[in-house]
C-alpha cells in the first residue's frame, strides 16, 4: 500500500488547511551576536542569523529599518528584521562549524474567528517567541482557552521537520538530523496584542491564540495582529566530516531544539502592510504574492542578489571552524532549563568590539521604458526578454561575465567594440552580444530587476538593472554610422531551429502549483535524462500510484492524491498554466516537464486503488477512520508500536499479543 500521509505536528497541519495567507521568501542579510530586542545597543549573548532590512544592527529601530537601502526579503516594502539562533555542528573533539541555510520563509496568516478584525503591526512593534533556556517539553503551561476553544501547550509553538522524503510527524525538538533535503526549524509567533505596549521585555504585551496558530485571543489581549509563521531550513547533511558521534547545537548552547526561538521587529512600509492585511491576509490565494497587487508591485526575485549579506558589526568569528561557540556559552543538554550563567559572559570577560557602521538609505535605480534611449542618444532599450528559449541564447555571438565591472554602458561598449549592434545584460554580471536576435526570444517579460554588479560594489549613487534569472535586458545600437561586422559564428553560432512542443497525452491532467507540502508527495526521483516515460515507469514501481508529475525539467513526483494547497492553473489564473509549466524535459526537448514550483500532472488510467483485506484472522476490516481533530487524542488509546516494515499482518499480530480487540495503523 502506498504511504498515507498523516500530520501530527502543529505546523504543517495548520498550514496545509490554510489558504488565507501570503508567503515571503527571504535571504540572510546579517549574522552575529545582534539582538536589538533583548540587548539593544550592546552585544547579544549568542549569535543569530537575520533576514530582512539591511539596517538591522544592535541599535535598530523602526525608522532605521524603514530607511534600509534594501530588504533581503522578496517584498521590498517589508524591511522588518526576523532573526533566530545560529545552528552549529559540534564535532566529537569539541570544535564547532556553522550549519548553512539559505535564509527563511515568512508566512503571514489570518486565523481564527477574529481574523477579519486583524490590524497591521504598528510602527515600533517587536516580539520574541520561544524560550532560549528550554531543554525539554513543557506540558504544564497552556495558552488561554475556553470550552469551545480549548488551549494547548505553549511549547507547541516550536516544531522541527526532517525533509528526507519519509514525511515523519513534526516534533518540538531536533528528533532527527540526517535529512537529505534539510532540517526545517519552525516557530509560530504570538498574534494577540494588548493594544498599547509596542514591546515589553517579558513579552507580556502579546499572547498566543488558543490553538497557537488558530482560535481566540484572551480578554487581556483583545487586538489581533497577523499571525507570523517562520521557517528556517538548515542543510544538516552538508557538514564536512559529519560523523555519528557529532551533534547539532543552537548558538545558545541548546543541543535539543526545545530552546529554538525567533524575534520580529516591524519595519514594514505601513501603507503596503495595511493594504495587504486588509485585502490579502484572509483571501484564498494559496500564499501567492502575485495575487496581492500591493505586494506584487514591490516584489522582486532578486532579493538575495540586490540585498547581499552586510559586513558584520561584531569583531569576532562566527563561521568557519570554531574552538567554541561565540560568546560565553556552555552546552547544556537538559532536561532542566539552562541556567542564565550558561548563556552569558561574566563581568570579568572583555567583550568583543562592536564595529561602528553607518545606516544606509535607499539607492535609486536607473530605468527606462522600452523604446527610450539609455546611455547614449542611439542606444534604444528594447525591453526584458526571456533567454535560453529552446536552449538557445537570445544573443549568441559573444558573451562574457564580469560582476565587478558590469553596467549597461560597459556591456554596450563591449558589443560595440566587437562589431555587434545588439547588447544584453543578464544575471547581474553577464554581457551578451549579437547582430541577430533568437526568434524564440519574447519581450515584455517581468523579472529583469537584478542590479548590475558594479553598481552594487561601488558607491555610484545609483543602481542599474542587468536582467535576471534566464531574463535579459536588450539594447539596440541605432547609430547609422555604426558598422555591424561582428561574426555570428564565433561563439554559439546562429540561433538553432525551434523544436515544436509535442501534443499532450490523453492522460494529461494539467499544470498544478507545487508548494509546501508537495502536490504529489508519496515518492520522488530526479534525473538529468528525465522524460514523461521515465517518470511514469518510476511511479509504476513498488506499490504503484494513481498520479505522476514532472517538474523543473528533471524532477518526478508520485502520489495518490493532491495536497490541499495545490492549485490547478488555467489560461486566466496567476500564473497561467502555459507560463508556469514551460520547461522542456531534460531528456526529451519536445516534451514539457513542469516549471519552477509547478508540476505537469498525468493520470495512470489503469490504476487500481489498494483496498483493505476483508479480514485477517479474527479481525474484520472496519474501513478508514480519522483520529479526533486538533490533536486531542487517538481513536485507539491502547498500546502502540511502529516499524518501517509495517504491514496489516504485523500490526494485527502485535495487537493480538497485547490482547486488544481492535487493531489500526496510520501514517504508512
Amino acid at each position: 500500500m502506498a504511504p498515507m500521509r498523516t500530520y501530527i505536528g502543529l505546523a504543517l497541519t495548520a498550514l496545509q488547511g490554510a489558504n488565507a495567507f501570503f508567503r515571503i521568501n527571504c535571504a540572510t542579510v546579517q549574522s552575529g551576536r545582534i539582538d536589538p530586542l533583548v540587548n539593544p545597543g550592546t552585544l547579544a549573548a549568542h549569535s543569530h542569523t537575520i533576514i530582512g532590512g539591511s539596517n538591522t544592527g544592535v541599535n535598530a529601530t523602526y525608522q532605521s529599518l524603514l530607511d534600509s537601502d534594501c530588504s533581503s526579503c522578496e517584498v521590498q516594502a517589508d524591511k522588518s528584521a526576523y532573526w533566530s539562533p545560529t545552528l552549529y555542528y559540534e564535532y566529537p573533539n569539541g570544535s564547532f562549524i556553522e550549519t548553512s541555510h539559505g535564509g527563511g520563509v515568512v508566512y503571514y496568516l489570518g486565523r481564527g474567528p477574529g481574523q477579519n478584525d486583524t490590524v497591521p503591526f504598528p510602527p515600533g512593534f517587536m516580539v520574541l517567541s520561544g524560550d532560549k533556556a528550554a531543554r525539554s517539553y513543557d506540558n504544564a503551561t497552556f495558552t488561554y482557552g475556553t470550552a469551545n476553544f480549548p488551549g494547548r501547550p505553549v511549547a507547541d509553538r516550536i516544531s522541527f521537520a526532517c525533509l528526507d522524503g519519509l514525511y515523519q510527524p513534526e516534533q518540538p525538538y531536533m528528533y532527527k538530523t540526517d535529512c537529505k533535503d534539510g532540517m526545517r526549524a519552525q516557530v509560530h509567533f504570538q498574534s494577540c496584542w494588548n493594544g498599547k505596549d509596542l514591546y515589553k521585555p517579558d513579552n507580556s504585551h502579546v499572547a498566543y491564540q488558543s490553538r497557537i496558530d488558530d482560535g481566540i485571543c484572551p480578554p487581556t489581549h483583545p487586538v489581533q495582529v497577523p499571525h507570523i509563521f517562520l521557517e528556517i531550513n538548515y542543510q544538516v547533511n552538508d557538514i564536512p566530516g559529519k560523523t555519528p558521534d557529532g551533534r547539532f547545537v543552537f548558538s545558545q548552547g541548546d543541543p535539543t531544539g526545545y530552546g529554538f526561538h525567533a524575534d520580529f521587529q516591524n519595519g514594514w512600509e505601513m501603507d503596503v502592510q495595511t493594504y495587504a492585511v486588509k485585502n490579502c491576509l484572509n483571501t484564498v490565494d494559496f500564499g501567492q504574492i502575485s495575487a496581492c497587487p500591493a505586494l506584487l508591485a514591490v516584489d522582486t526575485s532578486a532579493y538575495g542578489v540586490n540585498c547581499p549579506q552586510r559586513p558584520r558589526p561584531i569583531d569576532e568569528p562566527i563561521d568557519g571552524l570554531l574552538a567554541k561557540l561565540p560568546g560565553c556559552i556552555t552546552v547544556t543538554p537538559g532536561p532542566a532549563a539552562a541556567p542564565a550563567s550558561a548563556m552569558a559572559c561574566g563581568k570579568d570577560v572583555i567583550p568583543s568590539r562592536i564595529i561602528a557602521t553607518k545606516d544606509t538609505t535607499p539607492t535609486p535605480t536607473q530605468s527606462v521604458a522600452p523604446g527610450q534611449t539609455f546611455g547614449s542618444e542611439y542606444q534604444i532599450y528594447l525591453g526584458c526578454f526571456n533567454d535560453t528559449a529552446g536552449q538557445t541564447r537570445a544573443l549568441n555571438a559573444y558573451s562574457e561575465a564580469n560582476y565587478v565591472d558590469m553596467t549597461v554602458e560597459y556591456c554596450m561598449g563591449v558589443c560595440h567594440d566587437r562589431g555587434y549592434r545588439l547588447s544584453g545584460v543578464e544575471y547581474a554580471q553577464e554581457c551578451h552580444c549579437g547582430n541577430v536576435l533568437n526568434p524564440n526570444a519574447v519581450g515584455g517579460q517581468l523579472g529583469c530587476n537584478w542590479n548590475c554588479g558594479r553598481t552594487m560594489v561601488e558607491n555610484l549613487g545609483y543602481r542599474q538593472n542587468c536582467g535576471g534569472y534566464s531574463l535579459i535586458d536588450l539594447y539596440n545600437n541605432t547609430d547609422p554610422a555604426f558598422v555591424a561586422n561582428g561574426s555570428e559564428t564565433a561563439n554559439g553560432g546562429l540561433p538553432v531551429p525551434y523544436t515544436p512542443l509535442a501534443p499532450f497525452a490523453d492522460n494529461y491532467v494539467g499544470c498544478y502549483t507545487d508548494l509546501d507540502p508537495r502536490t504529489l508527495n508519496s515518492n520522488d526521483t530526479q534525473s538529468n535524462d528525465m522524460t514523461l516515460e521515465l517518470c511514469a515507469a518510476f511511479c509504476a514501481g513498488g506499490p504503484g500510484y494513481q498520479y505522476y508529475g514532472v517538474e523543473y525539467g528533471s524532477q518526478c513526483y508520485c502520489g495518490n492524491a493532491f495536497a490541499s494547497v495545490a492549485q490547478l492553473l488555467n489560461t486566466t489564473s496567476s500564473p497561467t498554466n502555459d507560463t508556469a509549466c514551460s520547461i522542456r524535459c531534460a531528456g526529451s526537448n519536445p516534451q514539457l516537464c513542469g516549471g519552477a514550483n509547478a508540476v505537469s500532472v498525468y493520470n495512470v488510467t489503469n490504476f487500481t486503488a489498494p483496498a483493505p483485506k476483508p479480514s485477517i484472522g479474527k479481525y474484520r476490516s472496519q474501513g478508514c477512520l480519522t483520529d479526533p481533530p486538533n490533536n486531542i487524542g487517538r481513536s485507539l488509546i491502547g498500546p502502540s508500536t511502529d516499524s518501517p516494515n509495517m504491514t496489516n499482518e504485523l500490526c494485527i499480530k502485535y495487537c493480538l499479543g497485547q490482547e486488544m480487540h481492535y487493531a489500526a495503523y496510520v501514517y504508512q
Side-chain angles (χ1 to χ4, degrees), residues 250-261:
F250 280 108
S251 56
Q252 80 275 25
D254 174 22
T256 68
Y258 288 112
F260 186 70
H261 57 281

Side-chain angles (χ1 to χ4, degrees), residues 222-291:
V223 181
Q224 187 164 326
V225 291
H227 182 83
I228 292 180
F229 176 68
L230 175 65
E231 295 179 340
I232 306 291
N233 188 13
Y234 297 98
Q235 302 307 306
V236 291
N237 279 22
D238 291 347
I239 300 296
K242 179 182 177 183
T243 72
D245 297 326
R247 62 178 176 177
F248 288 89
V249 180
F250 280 108
S251 56
Q252 80 275 25
D254 174 22
T256 68
Y258 288 112
F260 186 70
H261 57 281
D263 304 64
F264 164 70
Q265 185 175 15
N266 181 27
W268 274 94
E269 294 179 13
M270 287 305 299
D271 57 339
V272 177
Q273 186 203 172
T274 300
Y275 179 96
V277 169
K278 180 180 179 181
N279 299 285
C280 310
L281 195 66
N282 299 312
T283 57
V284 181
D285 53 27
F286 300 94
Q288 297 180 81
I289 295 298
S290 59

Side-chain angles (χ1 to χ4, degrees), residues 349-360:
V349 176
I350 299 175
S352 298
R353 181 171 64 99
I354 300 177
I355 302 171
T357 56
K358 183 179 180 181
D359 283 344
T360 59

Side-chain angles (χ1 to χ4, degrees), residues 80-310:
S80 306
Y82 311 82
W83 62 93
S84 57
T86 308
L87 181 65
Y88 290 91
Y89 177 76
E90 182 182 9
Y91 290 99
N93 65 1
S95 60
F96 297 85
I97 191 169
E98 183 183 6
T99 307
S100 64
H101 69 79
V105 183
V106 185
Y107 293 77
Y108 277 69
L109 303 103
R111 308 304 296 274
Q115 65 180 24
N116 291 328
D117 298 321
T118 303
V119 302
F121 294 112
F125 184 88
M126 301 185 293
V127 61
L128 183 155
S129 181
D131 179 3
K132 67 178 181 180
R135 298 294 183 269
S136 58
Y137 186 76
D138 178 7
N139 58 8
T141 306
F142 275 66
T143 63
Y144 168 83
T146 65
N148 293 328
F149 297 95
R152 72 177 306 145
V154 171
D156 287 343
R157 61 195 167 188
I158 303 299
S159 59
F160 290 85
C162 180
L163 308 180
D164 60 0
L166 298 180
Y167 310 111
Q168 302 163 81
E170 296 162 2
Q171 303 289 349
Y173 63 98
M174 291 190 287
Y175 65 97
K176 185 177 181 181
T177 55
D178 184 14
C179 313
K180 66 175 183 178
D181 296 319
M183 179 189 72
R184 192 171 62 211
Q186 306 167 148
V187 56
H188 289 273
F189 282 82
Q190 303 91 321
S191 43
C192 304
W193 178 40
N194 67 11
K196 55 181 181 179
D197 297 298
L198 297 176
Y199 176 67
K200 299 187 76 172
D202 63 355
N203 283 280
S204 60
H205 64 304
V206 290
Y208 295 98
Q209 290 175 276
S210 55
R211 302 302 296 170
I212 296 183
D213 72 325
D214 204 348
I216 60 173
C217 287
T220 54
H221 297 76
V223 181
Q224 187 164 326
V225 291
H227 182 83
I228 292 180
F229 176 68
L230 175 65
E231 295 179 340
I232 306 291
N233 188 13
Y234 297 98
Q235 302 307 306
V236 291
N237 279 22
D238 291 347
I239 300 296
K242 179 182 177 183
T243 72
D245 297 326
R247 62 178 176 177
F248 288 89
V249 180
F250 280 108
S251 56
Q252 80 275 25
D254 174 22
T256 68
Y258 288 112
F260 186 70
H261 57 281
D263 304 64
F264 164 70
Q265 185 175 15
N266 181 27
W268 274 94
E269 294 179 13
M270 287 305 299
D271 57 339
V272 177
Q273 186 203 172
T274 300
Y275 179 96
V277 169
K278 180 180 179 181
N279 299 285
C280 310
L281 195 66
N282 299 312
T283 57
V284 181
D285 53 27
F286 300 94
Q288 297 180 81
I289 295 298
S290 59
C292 186
L295 299 181
L296 180 61
V298 289
D299 182 53
T300 175
S301 63
Y303 53 93
V305 178
N306 293 353
C307 201
Q309 190 163 343
R310 305 287 115 168

Side-chain angles (χ1 to χ4, degrees), residues 389-391 440 496-504 532 582-585 588-593:
Q391 309 302 312
N440 294 329
V496 298
Y498 174 73
T499 302
L501 182 67
F504 292 112
L532 298 180
S582 58
I583 296 179
R584 302 297 182 96
C585 297
S588 177
N589 185 261
Q591 295 179 343
L592 203 60
C593 276

Side-chain angles (χ1 to χ4, degrees), residues 439-453:
N440 294 329
V442 179
Q445 306 291 325
L446 301 176
C448 285
N449 48 28
W450 292 35
N451 291 156
C452 302

